[in-house]
Amino acid sequence: MTASSTRRTTAAHSRLAALGAIAVAGTLMLTGCGDQTKDNGSDSGTTTTAPLADKLPKSIRDKGVIKVGSDIAYAPVEFKDNAGKTVGIDPDLAAAMGKQLGVDFQFENGTFDTLITGLRSKRYDIAMSAMTDTKDRQEGIDSDTGKKVGEGVDFVDYFTAGVSIYTKKGDDQGIKTWSDLCGKKIVLQRGTVSEDLAKAESKKCPKGKKIAIEPFDNDQQAQTRLRAGGADAGSSDFPVAAYAVKTSGGGKDFELVGEQVEAAPYGIAVAKNQTQLRDALKAALDAIIDNGEYEKIMKKWGVTDGAIDEATINGGK
């Protein structure tokens, strides 16, 4: 996700794979979920023979668990399947990394704009939720006000994605670019880069033709509003928008319009004082890139064009 101080996108890179590839996951329908519910969404399995276990802080090795703050309503990155299990790109990556580190990654659901606060209060050990690595987040800056609101976080970058606009199918109203939204209404998830982009674009619109922005706690609520005719367009990260276009109403509800913009890295957020944990996560991510598990996960979810070759710390701009 993308956001004011917490976005899911920013510096140019590659495009994601074609929509048809995302259909691999198309049989899984998006379902809602309550805030702050726990879910052991990974099946990594604790093992004393894990090759990178000694890189973790002893406190986490002793617990055998890494608590993950995540907004589990963002298919195909993380969401609940019909059986209520947490699935998606992030849980699969976490499970593979867990095998390297000898711990379970325990996903705990929370609204996206509270995840860094939860990390700061030690509710979570990490936040992994399609969160875009940005300088503002690294430095604890509120991008709306430019004021410092916290100590910031470090990121271990693991994927690249851009932001897309989508409309009701067959009713794009001439919307192809962000400037075409002037005088129209857009729905999106609160605290994301989509909201940042909409606010920035609205300032450029002619007087009396500002963009009406309606934010929601999660992307599914925004989709529901657009589906019901309550807005002209919606916006979210490309893999999420593409998945919604492919699956909602059997592919009959929405269509993508224009090009994705603001391509930037997704990062696993870690508290600034947890450098050992940060470095262990980087080592685990590099290990699954090297052994081919990372590529298998990218192919499974049809997002190989967003794949990276090497983990990076704080690569966001």
Side-chain angles (χ1 to χ4, degrees):
M1 297 173 197
T2 36
S4 303
S5 295
T6 333
R7 169 203 148 176
R8 292 188 185 210
T9 350
T10 307
H13 188 36
S14 60
R15 308 259 327 202
L16 294 184
L19 294 185
I22 292 178
V24 173
T27 55
L28 298 175
M29 298 304 295
L30 282 70
T31 57
C33 48
D35 288 344
Q36 311 301 340
T37 57
K38 295 185 179 181
D39 187 290
N40 296 328
S42 107
D43 57 358
S44 54
T46 303
T47 173
T48 57
T49 60
L52 300 178
D54 61 349
K55 290 187 174 293
L56 284 169
K58 185 177 183 300
S59 60
I60 288 181
R61 287 203 312 271
D62 290 346
K63 289 188 301 182
V65 170
I66 292 177
K67 292 184 178 180
V68 185
S70 189
D71 177 8
I72 311 174
Y74 211 65
V77 186
E78 52 263 318
F79 63 109
K80 300 277 189 177
D81 66 11
N82 289 335
K85 181 181 179 181
T86 299
V87 297
I89 299 166
D90 283 358
D92 281 358
L93 289 174
M97 293 167 65
K99 292 175 183 176
Q100 297 293 320
L101 295 168
V103 293
D104 289 319
F105 282 67
Q106 178 179 290
F107 280 73
E108 301 189 9
N109 191 42
T111 53
F112 184 71
D113 58 356
T114 66
L115 296 182
I116 286 183
T117 302
L119 190 63
R120 190 180 302 132
S121 67
K122 300 183 179 180
R123 178 182 180 87
Y124 316 122
D125 297 309
I126 65 174
M128 189 175 186
S129 190
M131 185 177 291
T132 302
D133 175 2
T134 66
K135 284 295 183 185
D136 280 353
R137 287 178 178 156
Q138 293 170 25
E139 298 171 2
I141 302 296
D142 184 323
S143 59
D144 270 347
T145 64
K147 295 181 179 179
K148 192 169 180 63
V149 293
E151 65 274 21
V153 296
D154 283 337
F155 286 100
V156 180
D157 298 338
Y158 64 96
F159 189 71
T160 300
V163 177
S164 292
I165 300 170
Y166 59 98
T167 66
K168 293 186 72 173
K169 193 163 188 175
D171 187 23
D172 67 14
Q173 301 184 61
I175 298 170
K176 299 297 181 186
T177 68
W178 283 85
S179 61
D180 294 330
L181 291 167
C182 291
K184 301 186 186 301
K185 183 176 182 179
I186 189 169
V187 289
L188 38 73
Q189 183 171 2
R190 182 178 293 106
T192 63
V193 171
S194 290
E195 186 176 26
D196 289 346
L197 288 171
K199 288 178 178 178
E201 192 63 46
S202 186
K203 292 177 182 178
K204 304 174 188 176
C205 293
K207 187 176 181 180
K209 295 196 70 176
K210 300 298 183 183
I211 300 172
I213 304 167
E214 186 173 6
F216 291 87
D217 285 341
N218 63 58
D219 203 66
Q220 293 175 14
Q221 293 170 349
Q223 291 173 23
T224 298
R225 180 70 162 161
L226 178 61
R227 193 182 297 114
D232 301 299
S235 177
S236 59
D237 289 2
F238 175 77
V240 178
Y243 187 87
V245 166
K246 190 68 182 180
T247 61
S248 181
K252 297 178 180 179
D253 288 344
F254 304 127
E255 63 179 276
L256 288 171
V257 294
E259 300 291 326
Q260 65 168 311
V261 299
E262 297 281 310
Y266 283 173
I268 302 170
V270 187
K272 286 286 189 185
N273 62 356
Q274 294 295 319
T275 55
Q276 186 178 357
L277 174 57
R278 178 200 68 194
D279 293 345
L281 293 169
K282 182 185 185 303
L285 183 56
D286 280 332
I288 66 171
I289 290 173
D290 291 343
N291 70 16
E293 286 298 310
Y294 178 89
E295 184 180 8
K296 289 179 183 177
I297 293 166
M298 297 297 106
K299 287 181 177 178
K300 172 184 175 181
W301 293 102
V303 293
T304 52
D305 281 358
I308 60 169
D309 297 324
E310 182 181 8
T312 304
I313 292 175
N314 293 334
K317 304 301 182 184

